Amino acid sequence: MALLPQSPRRRRRLVWGTAALAAIVAVGLAIGLMPRGERLAESDVATDTGPRAEALPPLQITPARRREIDRLVHRFTETAVTRRDPAAAWELASASMHSGVPRDAWNRGELPGVLPFDATAIEDVSWKVVYRAPERVGIDVLVVAKPGSGQQTIVYQTDLVQEDGRLLVAAWAPQATLGGGTAPPPAAAAAPEQVESPYSRGRLDARWLLVPAGIVLLLLGTAVVLLVRHAIRSRRAYRRYRGHAGV
């Protein structure tokens, strides 16, 4: 007994349905095999195969080192930031901060990147660790202005480097100003910036593959149901024919 329909019209419908099903399956496979994202060029990837030096651990912030940072921050603020004694601040700065600045210009208060702050307007000085690296630590220094002083509270981005067994100022530059005489609330800190991975650009969400997969399954299920129904009807008709014919 043949499973294909006897009617030419039904056979044509079956052929067209099979062709449509094959096209949908091809589209689904093409989508599934699409590239998932952009790749960095080979020249952008480090391929150094030479010997590598052992990675040094980041600078540890022990209680003793915390006291050292606190003394350095307050001393540099008193001498350099307020411009009260720039000459004394020379000994608190690293060799990299000295570079490009003659000593006489430094003594006159021409400190690279250090925005001056009125000494009489300082109400409080505090700091917090931002990052740690081998022989280096980054901190944010908050110099709070007195209310009514007309001076703005300033956050300085500060880099400290260890030279000759002690921490020295490598950079001290303004990062933000906050309104005069007020300290920033705890929630004022900016959230860390989200960096987009280069491998995420152009990536196709895997959930989109469920659409062609669902269509394919639906068509396959429909075709199976039609074939089974046709087979059942053919068997019933054949049985009735045998009954009438007395076979």
Side-chain angles (χ1 to χ4, degrees):
M1 179 184 57
L3 295 179
L4 293 176
Q6 299 298 324
S7 171
R9 178 181 298 177
R10 291 185 177 180
R11 287 186 178 183
R12 286 194 298 270
R13 290 178 179 177
L14 183 59
V15 170
W16 283 110
T18 304
L21 177 61
I24 293 175
V25 171
V27 172
L29 291 176
I31 295 176
L33 297 176
M34 286 177 62
R36 288 189 172 272
E38 299 176 0
R39 285 289 184 182
L40 293 177
E42 292 294 332
S43 58
D44 296 334
V45 181
T47 58
D48 184 14
T49 58
R52 296 182 180 180
E54 184 179 354
L56 297 176
L59 197 67
Q60 298 297 318
I61 308 298
T62 61
R65 182 158 287 135
R66 187 171 291 275
R67 290 191 294 270
E68 179 186 4
I69 295 175
D70 193 68
R71 289 193 299 268
L72 177 59
V73 167
H74 283 81
R75 181 62 179 159
F76 194 85
T77 302
E78 293 170 359
T79 58
V81 178
T82 64
R83 300 299 197 271
R84 280 184 171 178
D85 193 357
W90 178 271
E91 303 298 330
L92 306 176
S94 67
S96 61
M97 196 171 186
H98 293 160
S99 62
V101 183
R103 181 64 184 271
D104 57 346
W106 181 287
N107 292 343
R108 291 195 302 268
E110 299 178 14
L111 280 61
V114 182
L115 184 69
F117 200 102
D118 185 4
T120 61
I122 295 179
E123 181 179 37
D124 185 40
V125 178
S126 60
W127 56 274
K128 68 174 183 179
V129 176
V130 177
Y131 76 88
R132 295 183 299 116
E135 307 299 325
R136 184 178 294 269
V137 60
I139 61 174
D140 282 346
V141 178
L142 178 66
V143 181
V144 181
K146 294 179 180 178
S149 63
Q151 175 77 53
Q152 285 187 316
T153 294
I154 300 180
V155 179
Y156 293 94
Q157 186 176 5
T158 305
D159 291 329
L160 307 180
V161 62
Q162 192 167 24
E163 293 182 2
D164 299 328
R166 66 188 185 121
L167 288 175
L168 298 173
V169 177
W172 188 295
Q175 183 181 23
T177 56
L178 305 169
T182 58
E193 182 180 0
Q194 299 295 328
V195 181
E196 181 187 3
S197 170
Y199 294 101
S200 64
R201 297 192 297 269
R203 179 174 295 176
L204 182 67
D205 194 337
R207 290 176 294 182
W208 283 103
L209 299 179
L210 297 177
V211 176
I215 296 175
V216 170
L217 292 177
L218 179 61
L219 291 176
L220 286 175
T222 303
V224 170
V225 170
L226 291 176
L227 290 175
V228 171
R229 187 175 65 176
H230 175 72
I232 294 174
R233 289 181 176 179
S234 297
R235 288 185 179 182
R236 290 177 179 175
Y238 183 69
R239 288 174 183 173
R240 288 196 298 268
Y241 166 76
R242 292 181 61 182
H244 287 297
V247 181

